[in-house]
Amino acid sequence: MMAWPRVPGVPMDRLRSALHGLAILLLALVPNLACGGGSSPAPVPAGCGCQAAGAAGVVGSTPPGPQGTMTAAEIALVEEVFAQVNAERMGRGLTALRWHPAASDVAMAHSVHQEAVGDITHDGPGACAAPTDCLDERLSAGGIAPGARSAWGENVARGQATAQDVMCGAISWMLSAPHCANLLEPTFTHIGIAVKTGGVNGPYWTQVFLRIP
């Protein structure tokens, strides 16, 4: 079952409808998250919503390519999202996130998995003790051992056709408080991003955040 963010005063059926293209992994920013229990999101930062006028020219905004099995068009989308992420962070006085190739590979594998199941999820691929454990397991399987990271998080989305749509559109990460909290988390240092276009209800987007060490 998908764990949806709760907004006081908004009925759950309306919230599910409004957020049909978004999901958030509510990982506590601790090295080892306990199984189950539905952890609370990080405190919502003030000033969510896109503020950067544009992402062009952001230093260090272009990830090294090619990125795994992504097409040239998908890589271009990822580069635009990465630039926008750092534009939003730097515009608020936060440190720009550095690109993490292995995290990008983990993100791509998950976008492919989401396309295969035709839905957004933080589960799998493979068995997890609980949904909140899955990213931890996927990072380890992707070669990012627990000792190499001290915090992690994930945003996923589907159906937004462009980088601007998924970052700043009407149904977007920057307008969703828990997703925004991941994007503007001051202690995160690295990011991997992937998108799988096509498929039912696609594109499928994944962002993986890390704090290293």
Side-chain angles (χ1 to χ4, degrees), residues 131-165:
T132 48
D133 295 329
C134 288
L135 178 57
D136 185 14
E137 295 182 10
R138 285 188 276 120
L139 289 171
S140 295
I144 310 173
R149 49 187 162 90
S150 55
W152 51 91
E154 182 176 70
N155 287 343
V156 298
R158 75 174 182 192
Q160 293 85 350
T162 69
Q164 183 70 15
D165 287 343

PDB file of all heavy atoms in Angstrom, residues 131-165:
ATOM      1  N   PRO A 131       8.332  -1.566   2.899  1.00  0.00           N
ATOM      2  CA  PRO A 131       8.640  -0.586   1.864  1.00  0.00           C
ATOM      3  C   PRO A 131       9.749   0.387   2.241  1.00  0.00           C
ATOM      4  O   PRO A 131      10.533   0.797   1.387  1.00  0.00           O
ATOM      5  CB  PRO A 131       7.302   0.142   1.667  1.00  0.00           C
ATOM      6  CG  PRO A 131       6.276  -0.881   2.032  1.00  0.00           C
ATOM      7  CD  PRO A 131       6.902  -1.653   3.157  1.00  0.00           C
ATOM      8  N   THR A 132       9.835   0.755   3.526  1.00  0.00           N
ATOM      9  CA  THR A 132      10.858   1.708   3.936  1.00  0.00           C
ATOM     10  C   THR A 132      12.255   1.114   3.922  1.00  0.00           C
ATOM     11  O   THR A 132      13.238   1.844   4.038  1.00  0.00           O
ATOM     12  CB  THR A 132      10.546   2.249   5.346  1.00  0.00           C
ATOM     13  OG1 THR A 132      10.239   1.157   6.214  1.00  0.00           O
ATOM     14  CG2 THR A 132       9.365   3.198   5.302  1.00  0.00           C
ATOM     15  N   ASP A 133      12.361  -0.221   3.799  1.00  0.00           N
ATOM     16  CA  ASP A 133      13.664  -0.862   3.717  1.00  0.00           C
ATOM     17  C   ASP A 133      14.177  -0.953   2.285  1.00  0.00           C
ATOM     18  O   ASP A 133      15.350  -1.224   2.059  1.00  0.00           O
ATOM     19  CB  ASP A 133      13.605  -2.283   4.279  1.00  0.00           C
ATOM     20  CG  ASP A 133      13.287  -2.304   5.760  1.00  0.00           C
ATOM     21  OD1 ASP A 133      13.676  -1.353   6.449  1.00  0.00           O
ATOM     22  OD2 ASP A 133      12.639  -3.254   6.209  1.00  0.00           O
ATOM     23  N   CYS A 134      13.310  -0.771   1.301  1.00  0.00           N
ATOM     24  CA  CYS A 134      13.655  -1.122  -0.062  1.00  0.00           C
ATOM     25  C   CYS A 134      14.781  -0.269  -0.628  1.00  0.00           C
ATOM     26  O   CYS A 134      15.658  -0.791  -1.327  1.00  0.00           O
ATOM     27  CB  CYS A 134      12.430  -1.028  -0.960  1.00  0.00           C
ATOM     28  SG  CYS A 134      11.232  -2.346  -0.665  1.00  0.00           S
ATOM     29  N   LEU A 135      14.770   1.031  -0.382  1.00  0.00           N
ATOM     30  CA  LEU A 135      15.839   1.861  -0.920  1.00  0.00           C
ATOM     31  C   LEU A 135      17.171   1.464  -0.297  1.00  0.00           C
ATOM     32  O   LEU A 135      18.190   1.398  -1.000  1.00  0.00           O
ATOM     33  CB  LEU A 135      15.560   3.340  -0.678  1.00  0.00           C
ATOM     34  CG  LEU A 135      16.652   4.295  -1.171  1.00  0.00           C
ATOM     35  CD1 LEU A 135      16.932   4.105  -2.656  1.00  0.00           C
ATOM     36  CD2 LEU A 135      16.282   5.750  -0.878  1.00  0.00           C
ATOM     37  N   ASP A 136      17.202   1.201   0.995  1.00  0.00           N
ATOM     38  CA  ASP A 136      18.417   0.744   1.657  1.00  0.00           C
ATOM     39  C   ASP A 136      18.956  -0.492   0.952  1.00  0.00           C
ATOM     40  O   ASP A 136      20.158  -0.580   0.624  1.00  0.00           O
ATOM     41  CB  ASP A 136      18.099   0.446   3.120  1.00  0.00           C
ATOM     42  CG  ASP A 136      19.326   0.067   3.937  1.00  0.00           C
ATOM     43  OD1 ASP A 136      20.459   0.272   3.477  1.00  0.00           O
ATOM     44  OD2 ASP A 136      19.142  -0.458   5.040  1.00  0.00           O
ATOM     45  N   GLU A 137      18.092  -1.459   0.678  1.00  0.00           N
ATOM     46  CA  GLU A 137      18.510  -2.685   0.027  1.00  0.00           C
ATOM     47  C   GLU A 137      18.937  -2.438  -1.412  1.00  0.00           C
ATOM     48  O   GLU A 137      19.921  -3.018  -1.897  1.00  0.00           O
ATOM     49  CB  GLU A 137      17.385  -3.715   0.087  1.00  0.00           C
ATOM     50  CG  GLU A 137      17.056  -4.156   1.504  1.00  0.00           C
ATOM     51  CD  GLU A 137      15.971  -5.214   1.545  1.00  0.00           C
ATOM     52  OE1 GLU A 137      15.609  -5.745   0.474  1.00  0.00           O
ATOM     53  OE2 GLU A 137      15.484  -5.516   2.650  1.00  0.00           O
ATOM     54  N   ARG A 138      18.212  -1.571  -2.118  1.00  0.00           N
ATOM     55  CA  ARG A 138      18.564  -1.282  -3.505  1.00  0.00           C
ATOM     56  C   ARG A 138      19.903  -0.550  -3.589  1.00  0.00           C
ATOM     57  O   ARG A 138      20.688  -0.783  -4.516  1.00  0.00           O
ATOM     58  CB  ARG A 138      17.457  -0.465  -4.166  1.00  0.00           C
ATOM     59  CG  ARG A 138      16.233  -1.296  -4.510  1.00  0.00           C
ATOM     60  CD  ARG A 138      15.232  -0.526  -5.335  1.00  0.00           C
ATOM     61  NE  ARG A 138      14.335   0.285  -4.533  1.00  0.00           N
ATOM     62  CZ  ARG A 138      14.210   1.593  -4.608  1.00  0.00           C
ATOM     63  NH1 ARG A 138      14.954   2.298  -5.440  1.00  0.00           N
ATOM     64  NH2 ARG A 138      13.340   2.237  -3.851  1.00  0.00           N
ATOM     65  N   LEU A 139      20.184   0.341  -2.641  1.00  0.00           N
ATOM     66  CA  LEU A 139      21.474   1.031  -2.630  1.00  0.00           C
ATOM     67  C   LEU A 139      22.615   0.038  -2.393  1.00  0.00           C
ATOM     68  O   LEU A 139      23.645   0.086  -3.075  1.00  0.00           O
ATOM     69  CB  LEU A 139      21.484   2.108  -1.551  1.00  0.00           C
ATOM     70  CG  LEU A 139      20.617   3.342  -1.823  1.00  0.00           C
ATOM     71  CD1 LEU A 139      20.542   4.225  -0.582  1.00  0.00           C
ATOM     72  CD2 LEU A 139      21.138   4.146  -3.002  1.00  0.00           C
ATOM     73  N   SER A 140      22.432  -0.850  -1.437  1.00  0.00           N
ATOM     74  CA  SER A 140      23.465  -1.855  -1.167  1.00  0.00           C
ATOM     75  C   SER A 140      23.693  -2.747  -2.375  1.00  0.00           C
ATOM     76  O   SER A 140      24.838  -3.043  -2.746  1.00  0.00           O
ATOM     77  CB  SER A 140      23.074  -2.692   0.053  1.00  0.00           C
ATOM     78  OG  SER A 140      23.045  -1.899   1.226  1.00  0.00           O
ATOM     79  N   ALA A 141      22.594  -3.173  -3.012  1.00  0.00           N
ATOM     80  CA  ALA A 141      22.710  -4.015  -4.205  1.00  0.00           C
ATOM     81  C   ALA A 141      23.399  -3.275  -5.344  1.00  0.00           C
ATOM     82  O   ALA A 141      24.051  -3.894  -6.186  1.00  0.00           O
ATOM     83  CB  ALA A 141      21.335  -4.495  -4.642  1.00  0.00           C
ATOM     84  N   GLY A 142      23.258  -1.938  -5.345  1.00  0.00           N
ATOM     85  CA  GLY A 142      23.884  -1.123  -6.373  1.00  0.00           C
ATOM     86  C   GLY A 142      25.312  -0.716  -6.059  1.00  0.00           C
ATOM     87  O   GLY A 142      25.886   0.110  -6.781  1.00  0.00           O
ATOM     88  N   GLY A 143      25.877  -1.279  -5.001  1.00  0.00           N
ATOM     89  CA  GLY A 143      27.272  -1.020  -4.672  1.00  0.00           C
ATOM     90  C   GLY A 143      27.516   0.152  -3.758  1.00  0.00           C
ATOM     91  O   GLY A 143      28.669   0.542  -3.544  1.00  0.00           O
ATOM     92  N   ILE A 144      26.437   0.735  -3.190  1.00  0.00           N
ATOM     93  CA  ILE A 144      26.583   1.851  -2.254  1.00  0.00           C
ATOM     94  C   ILE A 144      26.343   1.280  -0.855  1.00  0.00           C
ATOM     95  O   ILE A 144      25.216   1.253  -0.359  1.00  0.00           O
ATOM     96  CB  ILE A 144      25.601   2.990  -2.570  1.00  0.00           C
ATOM     97  CG1 ILE A 144      25.685   3.361  -4.051  1.00  0.00           C
ATOM     98  CG2 ILE A 144      25.906   4.215  -1.702  1.00  0.00           C
ATOM     99  CD1 ILE A 144      24.625   4.358  -4.501  1.00  0.00           C
ATOM    100  N   ALA A 145      27.394   0.802  -0.241  1.00  0.00           N
ATOM    101  CA  ALA A 145      27.285   0.084   1.025  1.00  0.00           C
ATOM    102  C   ALA A 145      26.842   1.010   2.150  1.00  0.00           C
ATOM    103  O   ALA A 145      27.053   2.225   2.089  1.00  0.00           O
ATOM    104  CB  ALA A 145      28.628  -0.549   1.373  1.00  0.00           C
ATOM    105  N   PRO A 146      26.217   0.449   3.203  1.00  0.00           N
ATOM    106  CA  PRO A 146      25.769   1.281   4.326  1.00  0.00           C
ATOM    107  C   PRO A 146      26.878   2.139   4.910  1.00  0.00           C
ATOM    108  O   PRO A 146      26.627   3.281   5.308  1.00  0.00           O
ATOM    109  CB  PRO A 146      25.253   0.246   5.330  1.00  0.00           C
ATOM    110  CG  PRO A 146      24.796  -0.892   4.492  1.00  0.00           C
ATOM    111  CD  PRO A 146      25.774  -0.954   3.345  1.00  0.00           C
ATOM    112  N   GLY A 147      28.095   1.641   4.967  1.00  0.00           N
ATOM    113  CA  GLY A 147      29.183   2.426   5.516  1.00  0.00           C
ATOM    114  C   GLY A 147      29.616   3.581   4.648  1.00  0.00           C
ATOM    115  O   GLY A 147      30.327   4.482   5.101  1.00  0.00           O
ATOM    116  N   ALA A 148      29.155   3.605   3.393  1.00  0.00           N
ATOM    117  CA  ALA A 148      29.525   4.676   2.465  1.00  0.00           C
ATOM    118  C   ALA A 148      28.500   5.791   2.429  1.00  0.00           C
ATOM    119  O   ALA A 148      28.677   6.766   1.688  1.00  0.00           O
ATOM    120  CB  ALA A 148      29.708   4.103   1.062  1.00  0.00           C
ATOM    121  N   ARG A 149      27.453   5.690   3.235  1.00  0.00           N
ATOM    122  CA  ARG A 149      26.388   6.695   3.246  1.00  0.00           C
ATOM    123  C   ARG A 149      25.835   6.797   4.662  1.00  0.00           C
ATOM    124  O   ARG A 149      25.732   5.805   5.373  1.00  0.00           O
ATOM    125  CB  ARG A 149      25.276   6.309   2.270  1.00  0.00           C
ATOM    126  CG  ARG A 149      24.811   4.857   2.435  1.00  0.00           C
ATOM    127  CD  ARG A 149      23.823   4.434   1.361  1.00  0.00           C
ATOM    128  NE  ARG A 149      23.701   2.995   1.263  1.00  0.00           N
ATOM    129  CZ  ARG A 149      22.843   2.257   1.937  1.00  0.00           C
ATOM    130  NH1 ARG A 149      22.017   2.832   2.811  1.00  0.00           N
ATOM    131  NH2 ARG A 149      22.797   0.951   1.789  1.00  0.00           N
ATOM    132  N   SER A 150      25.476   8.000   5.046  1.00  0.00           N
ATOM    133  CA  SER A 150      24.945   8.198   6.390  1.00  0.00           C
ATOM    134  C   SER A 150      23.483   8.627   6.387  1.00  0.00           C
ATOM    135  O   SER A 150      22.852   8.702   7.435  1.00  0.00           O
ATOM    136  CB  SER A 150      25.778   9.237   7.149  1.00  0.00           C
ATOM    137  OG  SER A 150      25.864  10.447   6.431  1.00  0.00           O
ATOM    138  N   ALA A 151      22.934   8.923   5.226  1.00  0.00           N
ATOM    139  CA  ALA A 151      21.509   9.239   5.097  1.00  0.00           C
ATOM    140  C   ALA A 151      21.126   9.076   3.641  1.00  0.00           C
ATOM    141  O   ALA A 151      21.973   9.178   2.744  1.00  0.00           O
ATOM    142  CB  ALA A 151      21.213  10.667   5.567  1.00  0.00           C
ATOM    143  N   TRP A 152      19.847   8.811   3.403  1.00  0.00           N
ATOM    144  CA  TRP A 152      19.401   8.621   2.035  1.00  0.00           C
ATOM    145  C   TRP A 152      17.913   8.906   1.937  1.00  0.00           C
ATOM    146  O   TRP A 152      17.182   8.902   2.933  1.00  0.00           O
ATOM    147  CB  TRP A 152      19.701   7.198   1.557  1.00  0.00           C
ATOM    148  CG  TRP A 152      19.225   6.116   2.482  1.00  0.00           C
ATOM    149  CD1 TRP A 152      18.024   5.465   2.471  1.00  0.00           C
ATOM    150  CD2 TRP A 152      19.955   5.556   3.591  1.00  0.00           C
ATOM    151  NE1 TRP A 152      17.956   4.542   3.480  1.00  0.00           N
ATOM    152  CE2 TRP A 152      19.122   4.572   4.178  1.00  0.00           C
ATOM    153  CE3 TRP A 152      21.227   5.782   4.126  1.00  0.00           C
ATOM    154  CZ2 TRP A 152      19.528   3.827   5.291  1.00  0.00           C
ATOM    155  CZ3 TRP A 152      21.619   5.033   5.219  1.00  0.00           C
ATOM    156  CH2 TRP A 152      20.776   4.071   5.791  1.00  0.00           C
ATOM    157  N   GLY A 153      17.460   9.194   0.739  1.00  0.00           N
ATOM    158  CA  GLY A 153      16.051   9.471   0.500  1.00  0.00           C
ATOM    159  C   GLY A 153      15.735   9.269  -0.969  1.00  0.00           C
ATOM    160  O   GLY A 153      16.630   9.103  -1.795  1.00  0.00           O
ATOM    161  N   GLU A 154      14.461   9.297  -1.299  1.00  0.00           N
ATOM    162  CA  GLU A 154      14.041   9.034  -2.679  1.00  0.00           C
ATOM    163  C   GLU A 154      12.751   9.772  -3.005  1.00  0.00           C
ATOM    164  O   GLU A 154      11.826   9.815  -2.194  1.00  0.00           O
ATOM    165  CB  GLU A 154      13.837   7.527  -2.881  1.00  0.00           C
ATOM    166  CG  GLU A 154      13.436   7.113  -4.286  1.00  0.00           C
ATOM    167  CD  GLU A 154      13.354   5.596  -4.413  1.00  0.00           C
ATOM    168  OE1 GLU A 154      12.404   5.026  -3.820  1.00  0.00           O
ATOM    169  OE2 GLU A 154      14.227   5.001  -5.069  1.00  0.00           O
ATOM    170  N   ASN A 155      12.697  10.355  -4.181  1.00  0.00           N
ATOM    171  CA  ASN A 155      11.469  10.890  -4.747  1.00  0.00           C
ATOM    172  C   ASN A 155      11.160  10.128  -6.026  1.00  0.00           C
ATOM    173  O   ASN A 155      12.073   9.844  -6.813  1.00  0.00           O
ATOM    174  CB  ASN A 155      11.609  12.374  -5.119  1.00  0.00           C
ATOM    175  CG  ASN A 155      11.647  13.296  -3.920  1.00  0.00           C
ATOM    176  OD1 ASN A 155      11.266  12.927  -2.809  1.00  0.00           O
ATOM    177  ND2 ASN A 155      12.093  14.520  -4.140  1.00  0.00           N
ATOM    178  N   VAL A 156       9.903   9.806  -6.256  1.00  0.00           N
ATOM    179  CA  VAL A 156       9.484   9.214  -7.523  1.00  0.00           C
ATOM    180  C   VAL A 156       8.274   9.970  -8.042  1.00  0.00           C
ATOM    181  O   VAL A 156       7.560  10.630  -7.286  1.00  0.00           O
ATOM    182  CB  VAL A 156       9.167   7.707  -7.389  1.00  0.00           C
ATOM    183  CG1 VAL A 156      10.396   6.940  -6.950  1.00  0.00           C
ATOM    184  CG2 VAL A 156       8.006   7.450  -6.439  1.00  0.00           C
ATOM    185  N   ALA A 157       8.062   9.872  -9.339  1.00  0.00           N
ATOM    186  CA  ALA A 157       6.917  10.522  -9.973  1.00  0.00           C
ATOM    187  C   ALA A 157       6.645   9.835 -11.293  1.00  0.00           C
ATOM    188  O   ALA A 157       7.503   9.141 -11.839  1.00  0.00           O
ATOM    189  CB  ALA A 157       7.186  12.012 -10.196  1.00  0.00           C
ATOM    190  N   ARG A 158       5.449  10.039 -11.818  1.00  0.00           N
ATOM    191  CA  ARG A 158       5.136   9.515 -13.141  1.00  0.00           C
ATOM    192  C   ARG A 158       4.206  10.478 -13.871  1.00  0.00           C
ATOM    193  O   ARG A 158       3.460  11.233 -13.259  1.00  0.00           O
ATOM    194  CB  ARG A 158       4.453   8.144 -13.047  1.00  0.00           C
ATOM    195  CG  ARG A 158       3.006   8.217 -12.607  1.00  0.00           C
ATOM    196  CD  ARG A 158       2.326   6.864 -12.677  1.00  0.00           C
ATOM    197  NE  ARG A 158       0.917   6.998 -12.279  1.00  0.00           N
ATOM    198  CZ  ARG A 158       0.117   5.978 -12.014  1.00  0.00           C
ATOM    199  NH1 ARG A 158       0.583   4.752 -12.083  1.00  0.00           N
ATOM    200  NH2 ARG A 158      -1.145   6.179 -11.673  1.00  0.00           N
ATOM    201  N   GLY A 159       4.310  10.444 -15.182  1.00  0.00           N
ATOM    202  CA  GLY A 159       3.357  11.152 -16.025  1.00  0.00           C
ATOM    203  C   GLY A 159       3.744  12.561 -16.407  1.00  0.00           C
ATOM    204  O   GLY A 159       3.131  13.133 -17.312  1.00  0.00           O
ATOM    205  N   GLN A 160       4.727  13.153 -15.737  1.00  0.00           N
ATOM    206  CA  GLN A 160       5.143  14.506 -16.088  1.00  0.00           C
ATOM    207  C   GLN A 160       6.075  14.428 -17.301  1.00  0.00           C
ATOM    208  O   GLN A 160       7.116  13.785 -17.266  1.00  0.00           O
ATOM    209  CB  GLN A 160       5.851  15.184 -14.915  1.00  0.00           C
ATOM    210  CG  GLN A 160       4.943  15.450 -13.723  1.00  0.00           C
ATOM    211  CD  GLN A 160       4.812  14.268 -12.776  1.00  0.00           C
ATOM    212  OE1 GLN A 160       5.253  13.162 -13.084  1.00  0.00           O
ATOM    213  NE2 GLN A 160       4.215  14.491 -11.616  1.00  0.00           N
ATOM    214  N   ALA A 161       5.726  15.116 -18.377  1.00  0.00           N
ATOM    215  CA  ALA A 161       6.423  14.945 -19.651  1.00  0.00           C
ATOM    216  C   ALA A 161       7.772  15.635 -19.697  1.00  0.00           C
ATOM    217  O   ALA A 161       8.655  15.210 -20.446  1.00  0.00           O
ATOM    218  CB  ALA A 161       5.544  15.442 -20.801  1.00  0.00           C
ATOM    219  N   THR A 162       7.946  16.703 -18.938  1.00  0.00           N
ATOM    220  CA  THR A 162       9.172  17.493 -19.022  1.00  0.00           C
ATOM    221  C   THR A 162       9.802  17.665 -17.649  1.00  0.00           C
ATOM    222  O   THR A 162       9.164  17.443 -16.613  1.00  0.00           O
ATOM    223  CB  THR A 162       8.886  18.889 -19.601  1.00  0.00           C
ATOM    224  OG1 THR A 162       8.117  19.654 -18.645  1.00  0.00           O
ATOM    225  CG2 THR A 162       8.121  18.800 -20.920  1.00  0.00           C
ATOM    226  N   ALA A 163      11.065  18.100 -17.653  1.00  0.00           N
ATOM    227  CA  ALA A 163      11.754  18.392 -16.396  1.00  0.00           C
ATOM    228  C   ALA A 163      11.047  19.511 -15.638  1.00  0.00           C
ATOM    229  O   ALA A 163      10.926  19.455 -14.410  1.00  0.00           O
ATOM    230  CB  ALA A 163      13.202  18.775 -16.683  1.00  0.00           C
ATOM    231  N   GLN A 164      10.582  20.517 -16.347  1.00  0.00           N
ATOM    232  CA  GLN A 164       9.865  21.613 -15.700  1.00  0.00           C
ATOM    233  C   GLN A 164       8.588  21.119 -15.051  1.00  0.00           C
ATOM    234  O   GLN A 164       8.233  21.533 -13.942  1.00  0.00           O
ATOM    235  CB  GLN A 164       9.554  22.706 -16.728  1.00  0.00           C
ATOM    236  CG  GLN A 164       8.860  23.934 -16.161  1.00  0.00           C
ATOM    237  CD  GLN A 164       9.759  24.781 -15.272  1.00  0.00           C
ATOM    238  OE1 GLN A 164      10.975  24.615 -15.299  1.00  0.00           O
ATOM    239  NE2 GLN A 164       9.173  25.673 -14.503  1.00  0.00           N
ATOM    240  N   ASP A 165       7.895  20.201 -15.725  1.00  0.00           N
ATOM    241  CA  ASP A 165       6.653  19.661 -15.171  1.00  0.00           C
ATOM    242  C   ASP A 165       6.904  18.914 -13.866  1.00  0.00           C
ATOM    243  O   ASP A 165       6.178  19.095 -12.885  1.00  0.00           O
ATOM    244  CB  ASP A 165       5.993  18.706 -16.167  1.00  0.00           C
ATOM    245  CG  ASP A 165       5.365  19.410 -17.353  1.00  0.00           C
ATOM    246  OD1 ASP A 165       5.140  20.626 -17.271  1.00  0.00           O
ATOM    247  OD2 ASP A 165       5.119  18.730 -18.365  1.00  0.00           O
TER     248      ASP A 165
END
